[in-house]
Amino acid sequence: MRKLKLQELNRLTVESFKTTDKTPIVLVLDNIRSGLNVGSAFRTADGFALEKIYLCGITAQPPHREILKTAIGATDSMAWEY
């Protein structure tokens, strides 16, 4: 078994993802110190097509290198607000 490349995942384009129906759940990240964990939350929210992410407190915001490294493009497709 080999690791798939990003192009092989058959993800929706950013434009088509933004127009698809979303799960009516909002994710709130409050005082998350690790940018890697924030990026992982973005990726998970993208995978479940959540409605929006709210970042609060000392939580890092995109574009942060650790978030971008882990999110793998989900920061572009997910709606978020600080």
Side-chain angles (χ1 to χ4, degrees), residues 19-37:
T19 60
T20 59
D21 292 332
K22 303 289 187 288
T23 307
I25 296 175
V26 175
L27 181 63
V28 179
L29 302 177
D30 186 27
N31 293 329
I32 308 297
R33 291 186 181 272
S34 170
L36 298 172
N37 289 341

Side-chain angles (χ1 to χ4, degrees), residues 12-22 49 76-79:
L12 296 174
T13 64
V14 173
E15 294 79 23
S16 60
F17 179 82
K18 289 185 177 185
T19 60
T20 59
D21 292 332
K22 303 289 187 288
D76 299 328
S77 58
M78 280 302 304

